Amino acid sequence: MNLESILKQTDQLSREVGEYIVAKRKLAFRIDEKSFNNLVTEVDKAAEELFVVGLSKILPEAGFIAEEGSGEKNESGYNWIIDPIDGTTNFVHNVPLYCTSVGLSFNGEMLLGVINEPNGKECFSAAKGIGAFLNGTPIKVAACQQLSTALIATGFPYDDFARENGYFQVLRDFTH
């Protein structure tokens, strides 16, 4: 298996699906609520189908773990993991901060991932043993050695409050 080639093809497909999503954002589309505060649009479903078709060509033997339920999971072997619009709530509200998220695993071990933010035209990709990239240019982690000088970003679930106290305790700890 040529992981570098698969990464490049997945990067290209992610950019194409991202362009599709941005184009569809300008049109009216159907919005459904899967559960409390958990939205899905017809654009999510169509983008996921574009990924399934494209990724099946890249690695035909792989199964799928897809947010909207497309494809079938392999119980062992390769699986593509897809969130066609990571940030659907932002997408629905026309906040241009959402992305496509795709990963490839083998027996549960992550091999590669591609996160494409189509509005800002930033495509992050990485593969095991190959490295990480932004728009094809190698990147690396910050040289920061102290938490006190680091930039920390947070995100919390908005549809499942089972661990709410734990999340806010961690936020309090980091704030102090």
Side-chain angles (χ1 to χ4, degrees), residues 25-58:
R25 178 62 206 106
K26 298 173 182 139
L27 306 173
F29 51 85
R30 182 181 162 150
I31 304 166
D32 294 314
E33 191 171 39
K34 294 190 284 189
S35 60
F36 177 71
N37 282 339
N38 191 359
L39 304 176
V40 63
T41 70
E42 63 185 288
V43 181
D44 286 91
K45 293 174 182 178
E48 184 170 287
E49 189 57 33
L50 290 171
F51 271 120
V52 168
V53 168
L55 294 169
S56 292
K57 292 175 183 172
I58 295 171

Side-chain angles (χ1 to χ4, degrees), residues 85-100:
I85 303 178
D86 193 354
T88 299
T89 300
N90 285 353
F91 176 76
V92 165
H93 292 284
N94 207 23
V95 175
L97 297 172
Y98 53 85
C99 60
T100 63

Side-chain angles (χ1 to χ4, degrees), residues 133-147:
F133 306 88
L134 170 56
N135 295 334
T137 301
I139 57 175
K140 59 184 178 178
V141 298
C144 179
Q145 297 291 317
Q146 305 256 336
L147 185 58

Side-chain angles (χ1 to χ4, degrees), residues 7-125:
L7 182 65
K8 287 179 182 177
Q9 292 175 74
T10 306
D11 180 294
Q12 181 59 39
L13 177 62
S14 295
R15 291 170 193 262
E16 292 167 10
V17 174
E19 288 174 11
Y20 167 83
I21 292 168
V22 170
K24 290 295 183 182
R25 178 62 206 106
K26 298 173 182 139
L27 306 173
F29 51 85
R30 182 181 162 150
I31 304 166
D32 294 314
E33 191 171 39
K34 294 190 284 189
S35 60
F36 177 71
N37 282 339
N38 191 359
L39 304 176
V40 63
T41 70
E42 63 185 288
V43 181
D44 286 91
K45 293 174 182 178
E48 184 170 287
E49 189 57 33
L50 290 171
F51 271 120
V52 168
V53 168
L55 294 169
S56 292
K57 292 175 183 172
I58 295 171
L59 193 63
E61 65 269 27
F64 293 92
I65 303 168
E67 184 173 26
E68 308 312 330
S70 300
E72 289 186 34
K73 178 182 178 181
N74 279 343
E75 292 307 317
S76 63
Y78 294 101
N79 278 295
W80 290 107
I81 303 162
I82 306 168
D83 187 346
I85 303 178
D86 193 354
T88 299
T89 300
N90 285 353
F91 176 76
V92 165
H93 292 284
N94 207 23
V95 175
L97 297 172
Y98 53 85
C99 60
T100 63
S101 299
V102 179
L104 177 64
S105 69
F106 181 72
N107 291 334
E109 179 184 357
M110 291 306 301
L111 299 178
L112 66 81
V114 177
I115 308 296
N116 179 45
E117 196 281 283
N119 292 293
K121 301 199 182 310
E122 290 187 321
C123 192
F124 294 88
S125 60

